[in-house]
Amino acid sequence: MNLKILNKFELDQRIKSLVSKERELLHEILLTIKEIDQRKLYLEYGFANLFLYLVEGIGYSAGSAQRRIDAARLLGEVPSLGEKIQSGEVKLHQVSLIQKAARDVYKTTHKKVTAEEKQELLEQITSKNFQESQKEVASFFDLPVIETTTQVTQADESVRLSLTISKELADKIQQAQALLSHAISSNDIVDYLEYVTDRVIKQKTSVKVKADTNSRDSVNEQENAAIMEVKSFTARTKKILLNKDQCCQYKDPATGRQCLSRWFLQTDHKQSRWAEGKSVPENAQLLCAQHNRLKYRKESGLKYLSQ
Ligand SMILES: [Zn+2]
């Protein structure tokens, strides 16, 4: 369409009609995200969580993905949000204010904000601008000031961190630094972090090389191997895997997309134990906890079918 031929009234009408369609589409997108979330389908598509799916699989920026997740989940609790999104009375960043405040309330008081409270707050911020909404949300929950942590990657790829820690944690770090003063020459917290981090990585991933085995040892090894076949994987196998694979090996069979998450990794039997899979290194793989659970759920379905 040649927009140049439209006069100013026609252009005004056109953008209003397009924006209205855009809001309807947004509502449809939120309902679709809600369905994918409730059925945890992102796991099957090869992503460890909904956020990663929307960013890496769909192409949203981190902020856009989080706002859509917040809105899709609120839509599940407060269905009237749908009309407000379609009419434009409530914007996504206002929804995120409510959801973030609810998370903060839970963090500080362990009290869950109810759907009724969220609905009430939603009415209060309807048709308000962002600053007015911020004030409404803060006074509604009477939230204490929470110092947020910021993390900024700089030009040389170093990371600038700014965080607030409790007095108790600061005291504990000081005590640990004193105990490690023989090993760390400075009292710089960065040196301390590096030392502790190196120790954790070494402890979790280093594999001891076995000494030459004499005949008695090899009998023991055979026995151990037999035991290993029925028991779970040894710590050594886990460490070898953490060195080799380093991340979740789950792949969506349809697209080949691999999860690659490095969080909450678990050692899994490729061929499950109930299907006579052995606890030998060749049958081991790393899966994140979410995908390990997905595999288990799918296989337990299969297991019952085969019985
Ligand atoms: Zn995974």
Tab-separated table of all heavy atoms in Angstrom, residues 25-56:
chain	number	residue	atom	x	y	z
A	25	LEU	N	-3.833	-8.992	18.797
A	25	LEU	CA	-2.809	-10.003	18.522
A	25	LEU	C	-2.001	-10.293	19.782
A	25	LEU	O	-1.692	-11.454	20.097
A	25	LEU	CB	-1.901	-9.495	17.393
A	25	LEU	CG	-0.899	-10.488	16.830
A	25	LEU	CD1	-1.615	-11.717	16.269
A	25	LEU	CD2	-0.067	-9.831	15.731
A	26	LEU	N	-1.674	-9.214	20.518
A	26	LEU	CA	-0.923	-9.382	21.768
A	26	LEU	C	-1.700	-10.284	22.729
A	26	LEU	O	-1.130	-11.187	23.351
A	26	LEU	CB	-0.664	-8.006	22.407
A	26	LEU	CG	-0.013	-8.035	23.791
A	26	LEU	CD1	1.366	-8.691	23.738
A	26	LEU	CD2	0.129	-6.609	24.337
A	27	HIS	N	-3.002	-10.050	22.808
A	27	HIS	CA	-3.839	-10.877	23.684
A	27	HIS	C	-3.769	-12.339	23.257
A	27	HIS	O	-3.615	-13.242	24.076
A	27	HIS	CB	-5.286	-10.352	23.642
A	27	HIS	CG	-6.202	-11.110	24.539
A	27	HIS	ND1	-7.423	-11.564	24.124
A	27	HIS	CD2	-6.078	-11.515	25.826
A	27	HIS	CE1	-8.003	-12.219	25.118
A	27	HIS	NE2	-7.222	-12.191	26.159
A	28	GLU	N	-3.832	-12.585	21.949
A	28	GLU	CA	-3.732	-13.956	21.427
A	28	GLU	C	-2.379	-14.571	21.775
A	28	GLU	O	-2.280	-15.748	22.135
A	28	GLU	CB	-3.900	-13.967	19.893
A	28	GLU	CG	-5.308	-13.663	19.410
A	28	GLU	CD	-6.314	-14.708	19.862
A	28	GLU	OE1	-5.965	-15.903	19.893
A	28	GLU	OE2	-7.447	-14.324	20.211
A	29	ILE	N	-1.330	-13.750	21.642
A	29	ILE	CA	0.024	-14.238	21.962
A	29	ILE	C	0.103	-14.627	23.441
A	29	ILE	O	0.627	-15.689	23.795
A	29	ILE	CB	1.083	-13.159	21.620
A	29	ILE	CG1	1.216	-13.025	20.092
A	29	ILE	CG2	2.442	-13.496	22.238
A	29	ILE	CD1	2.080	-11.868	19.634
A	30	LEU	N	-0.464	-13.788	24.307
A	30	LEU	CA	-0.412	-14.067	25.751
A	30	LEU	C	-1.159	-15.354	26.083
A	30	LEU	O	-0.696	-16.168	26.892
A	30	LEU	CB	-0.999	-12.899	26.554
A	30	LEU	CG	-0.222	-11.586	26.454
A	30	LEU	CD1	-0.933	-10.498	27.246
A	30	LEU	CD2	1.214	-11.742	26.935
A	31	LEU	N	-2.312	-15.556	25.442
A	31	LEU	CA	-3.075	-16.791	25.693
A	31	LEU	C	-2.267	-18.008	25.247
A	31	LEU	O	-2.289	-19.060	25.891
A	31	LEU	CB	-4.413	-16.741	24.945
A	31	LEU	CG	-5.455	-15.760	25.486
A	31	LEU	CD1	-6.655	-15.672	24.542
A	31	LEU	CD2	-5.920	-16.160	26.885
A	32	THR	N	-1.537	-17.843	24.122
A	32	THR	CA	-0.735	-18.957	23.601
A	32	THR	C	0.441	-19.248	24.532
A	32	THR	O	0.746	-20.415	24.826
A	32	THR	CB	-0.231	-18.625	22.186
A	32	THR	OG1	-1.352	-18.212	21.397
A	32	THR	CG2	0.433	-19.823	21.534
A	33	ILE	N	1.085	-18.187	25.033
A	33	ILE	CA	2.195	-18.378	25.984
A	33	ILE	C	1.671	-19.078	27.247
A	33	ILE	O	2.311	-19.983	27.774
A	33	ILE	CB	2.856	-17.024	26.339
A	33	ILE	CG1	3.578	-16.458	25.114
A	33	ILE	CG2	3.832	-17.178	27.504
A	33	ILE	CD1	4.149	-15.070	25.299
A	34	LYS	N	0.474	-18.661	27.700
A	34	LYS	CA	-0.120	-19.262	28.907
A	34	LYS	C	-0.303	-20.775	28.709
A	34	LYS	O	0.015	-21.563	29.578
A	34	LYS	CB	-1.472	-18.588	29.187
A	34	LYS	CG	-2.206	-19.152	30.394
A	34	LYS	CD	-3.322	-18.224	30.847
A	34	LYS	CE	-4.608	-18.402	30.070
A	34	LYS	NZ	-5.495	-19.447	30.508
A	35	GLU	N	-0.778	-21.149	27.533
A	35	GLU	CA	-1.025	-22.577	27.254
A	35	GLU	C	0.297	-23.358	27.226
A	35	GLU	O	0.408	-24.446	27.792
A	35	GLU	CB	-1.764	-22.707	25.911
A	35	GLU	CG	-2.336	-24.075	25.635
A	35	GLU	CD	-3.356	-24.527	26.670
A	35	GLU	OE1	-4.013	-23.670	27.289
A	35	GLU	OE2	-3.468	-25.755	26.886
A	36	ILE	N	1.310	-22.770	26.538
A	36	ILE	CA	2.621	-23.430	26.451
A	36	ILE	C	3.214	-23.573	27.851
A	36	ILE	O	3.787	-24.603	28.215
A	36	ILE	CB	3.556	-22.610	25.532
A	36	ILE	CG1	3.094	-22.761	24.076
A	36	ILE	CG2	5.010	-23.053	25.686
A	36	ILE	CD1	3.817	-21.879	23.087
A	37	ASP	N	3.028	-22.519	28.668
A	37	ASP	CA	3.545	-22.518	30.045
A	37	ASP	C	2.866	-23.603	30.872
A	37	ASP	O	3.519	-24.396	31.538
A	37	ASP	CB	3.281	-21.127	30.646
A	37	ASP	CG	3.933	-20.956	32.008
A	37	ASP	OD1	4.961	-21.620	32.261
A	37	ASP	OD2	3.434	-20.143	32.810
A	38	GLN	N	1.534	-23.643	30.813
A	38	GLN	CA	0.799	-24.603	31.646
A	38	GLN	C	1.105	-26.043	31.258
A	38	GLN	O	1.150	-26.917	32.105
A	38	GLN	CB	-0.711	-24.325	31.560
A	38	GLN	CG	-1.064	-23.076	32.353
A	38	GLN	CD	-2.517	-22.654	32.204
A	38	GLN	OE1	-3.223	-23.129	31.329
A	38	GLN	NE2	-2.954	-21.728	33.049
A	39	ARG	N	1.366	-26.268	29.975
A	39	ARG	CA	1.699	-27.634	29.534
A	39	ARG	C	3.200	-27.887	29.512
A	39	ARG	O	3.649	-28.948	29.084
A	39	ARG	CB	1.095	-27.879	28.140
A	39	ARG	CG	-0.397	-28.192	28.243
A	39	ARG	CD	-1.171	-27.873	26.987
A	39	ARG	NE	-0.749	-28.644	25.837
A	39	ARG	CZ	-1.294	-28.529	24.620
A	39	ARG	NH1	-2.300	-27.684	24.417
A	39	ARG	NH2	-0.855	-29.241	23.621
A	40	LYS	N	3.997	-26.879	29.993
A	40	LYS	CA	5.467	-26.979	30.039
A	40	LYS	C	6.054	-27.469	28.704
A	40	LYS	O	6.992	-28.269	28.668
A	40	LYS	CB	5.912	-27.922	31.164
A	40	LYS	CG	5.666	-27.385	32.578
A	40	LYS	CD	6.404	-28.278	33.558
A	40	LYS	CE	6.051	-28.077	34.995
A	40	LYS	NZ	6.078	-26.773	35.556
A	41	LEU	N	5.485	-27.003	27.608
A	41	LEU	CA	5.920	-27.508	26.292
A	41	LEU	C	7.325	-27.044	25.936
A	41	LEU	O	8.015	-27.687	25.141
A	41	LEU	CB	4.921	-27.070	25.209
A	41	LEU	CG	3.559	-27.769	25.288
A	41	LEU	CD1	2.606	-27.245	24.236
A	41	LEU	CD2	3.722	-29.278	25.128
A	42	TYR	N	7.775	-25.913	26.544
A	42	TYR	CA	9.136	-25.429	26.247
A	42	TYR	C	10.165	-26.519	26.534
A	42	TYR	O	11.202	-26.579	25.879
A	42	TYR	CB	9.451	-24.157	27.044
A	42	TYR	CG	9.088	-24.266	28.501
A	42	TYR	CD1	9.962	-24.836	29.415
A	42	TYR	CD2	7.850	-23.828	28.961
A	42	TYR	CE1	9.617	-24.954	30.752
A	42	TYR	CE2	7.489	-23.954	30.295
A	42	TYR	CZ	8.382	-24.515	31.187
A	42	TYR	OH	8.036	-24.634	32.500
A	43	LEU	N	9.884	-27.381	27.529
A	43	LEU	CA	10.817	-28.480	27.830
A	43	LEU	C	10.934	-29.400	26.631
A	43	LEU	O	12.025	-29.811	26.247
A	43	LEU	CB	10.340	-29.264	29.047
A	43	LEU	CG	10.378	-28.536	30.385
A	43	LEU	CD1	9.743	-29.405	31.463
A	43	LEU	CD2	11.807	-28.184	30.764
A	44	GLU	N	9.789	-29.710	26.027
A	44	GLU	CA	9.806	-30.615	24.871
A	44	GLU	C	10.478	-29.972	23.675
A	44	GLU	O	11.048	-30.646	22.831
A	44	GLU	CB	8.373	-31.038	24.513
A	44	GLU	CG	7.659	-31.604	25.718
A	44	GLU	CD	6.621	-32.648	25.369
A	44	GLU	OE1	6.650	-33.172	24.254
A	44	GLU	OE2	5.790	-32.923	26.251
A	45	TYR	N	10.416	-28.623	23.588
A	45	TYR	CA	11.077	-27.938	22.465
A	45	TYR	C	12.586	-27.828	22.704
A	45	TYR	O	13.307	-27.305	21.875
A	45	TYR	CB	10.511	-26.524	22.279
A	45	TYR	CG	9.003	-26.440	22.077
A	45	TYR	CD1	8.293	-25.365	22.584
A	45	TYR	CD2	8.313	-27.422	21.381
A	45	TYR	CE1	6.915	-25.270	22.417
A	45	TYR	CE2	6.939	-27.336	21.211
A	45	TYR	CZ	6.241	-26.265	21.726
A	45	TYR	OH	4.895	-26.171	21.567
A	46	GLY	N	13.054	-28.255	23.890
A	46	GLY	CA	14.489	-28.254	24.161
A	46	GLY	C	14.991	-27.076	24.964
A	46	GLY	O	16.182	-26.756	24.912
A	47	PHE	N	14.112	-26.422	25.711
A	47	PHE	CA	14.533	-25.279	26.534
A	47	PHE	C	14.268	-25.581	28.003
A	47	PHE	O	13.278	-26.229	28.339
A	47	PHE	CB	13.773	-24.009	26.123
A	47	PHE	CG	14.054	-23.599	24.717
A	47	PHE	CD1	13.308	-24.128	23.668
A	47	PHE	CD2	15.087	-22.719	24.418
A	47	PHE	CE1	13.575	-23.780	22.353
A	47	PHE	CE2	15.356	-22.369	23.112
A	47	PHE	CZ	14.602	-22.894	22.071
A	48	ALA	N	15.190	-25.083	28.859
A	48	ALA	CA	15.076	-25.405	30.289
A	48	ALA	C	13.937	-24.638	30.951
A	48	ALA	O	13.424	-25.064	31.972
A	48	ALA	CB	16.393	-25.116	30.998
A	49	ASN	N	13.566	-23.494	30.404
A	49	ASN	CA	12.441	-22.749	30.998
A	49	ASN	C	11.776	-21.887	29.929
A	49	ASN	O	12.282	-21.737	28.819
A	49	ASN	CB	12.898	-21.904	32.203
A	49	ASN	CG	14.016	-20.961	31.849
A	49	ASN	OD1	13.918	-20.195	30.894
A	49	ASN	ND2	15.103	-21.016	32.597
A	50	LEU	N	10.628	-21.320	30.322
A	50	LEU	CA	9.819	-20.546	29.379
A	50	LEU	C	10.558	-19.292	28.897
A	50	LEU	O	10.478	-18.916	27.726
A	50	LEU	CB	8.499	-20.157	30.070
A	50	LEU	CG	7.491	-19.369	29.247
A	50	LEU	CD1	7.053	-20.148	28.016
A	50	LEU	CD2	6.267	-19.017	30.100
A	51	PHE	N	11.285	-18.662	29.816
A	51	PHE	CA	12.011	-17.438	29.475
A	51	PHE	C	13.025	-17.704	28.345
A	51	PHE	O	13.068	-16.979	27.349
A	51	PHE	CB	12.711	-16.903	30.734
A	51	PHE	CG	13.567	-15.689	30.484
A	51	PHE	CD1	12.992	-14.432	30.364
A	51	PHE	CD2	14.948	-15.798	30.361
A	51	PHE	CE1	13.767	-13.304	30.131
A	51	PHE	CE2	15.734	-14.682	30.122
A	51	PHE	CZ	15.141	-13.432	30.006
A	52	LEU	N	13.828	-18.766	28.504
A	52	LEU	CA	14.832	-19.081	27.471
A	52	LEU	C	14.157	-19.399	26.141
A	52	LEU	O	14.650	-19.035	25.072
A	52	LEU	CB	15.680	-20.277	27.905
A	52	LEU	CG	16.718	-19.976	28.984
A	52	LEU	CD1	17.418	-21.259	29.408
A	52	LEU	CD2	17.746	-18.972	28.460
A	53	TYR	N	13.011	-20.079	26.205
A	53	TYR	CA	12.287	-20.409	24.973
A	53	TYR	C	11.871	-19.136	24.243
A	53	TYR	O	12.056	-19.008	23.033
A	53	TYR	CB	11.070	-21.268	25.326
A	53	TYR	CG	10.092	-21.465	24.195
A	53	TYR	CD1	10.474	-22.089	23.010
A	53	TYR	CD2	8.773	-21.011	24.309
A	53	TYR	CE1	9.576	-22.256	21.975
A	53	TYR	CE2	7.870	-21.175	23.271
A	53	TYR	CZ	8.271	-21.794	22.108
A	53	TYR	OH	7.390	-21.951	21.073
A	54	LEU	N	11.326	-18.165	25.000
A	54	LEU	CA	10.845	-16.939	24.352
A	54	LEU	C	11.992	-16.083	23.821
A	54	LEU	O	11.862	-15.408	22.805
A	54	LEU	CB	9.991	-16.122	25.336
A	54	LEU	CG	8.637	-16.747	25.700
A	54	LEU	CD1	7.856	-15.845	26.636
A	54	LEU	CD2	7.806	-17.046	24.460
A	55	VAL	N	13.149	-16.128	24.516
A	55	VAL	CA	14.290	-15.317	24.074
A	55	VAL	C	15.025	-16.018	22.918
A	55	VAL	O	15.196	-15.455	21.841
A	55	VAL	CB	15.261	-15.040	25.258
A	55	VAL	CG1	16.536	-14.371	24.768
A	55	VAL	CG2	14.574	-14.147	26.297
A	56	GLU	N	15.442	-17.269	23.169
A	56	GLU	CA	16.291	-17.946	22.180
A	56	GLU	C	15.492	-18.640	21.075
A	56	GLU	O	15.946	-18.728	19.944
A	56	GLU	CB	17.188	-18.967	22.884
A	56	GLU	CG	18.214	-18.281	23.775
A	56	GLU	CD	19.015	-19.268	24.601
A	56	GLU	OE1	18.999	-20.482	24.314
A	56	GLU	OE2	19.669	-18.803	25.561
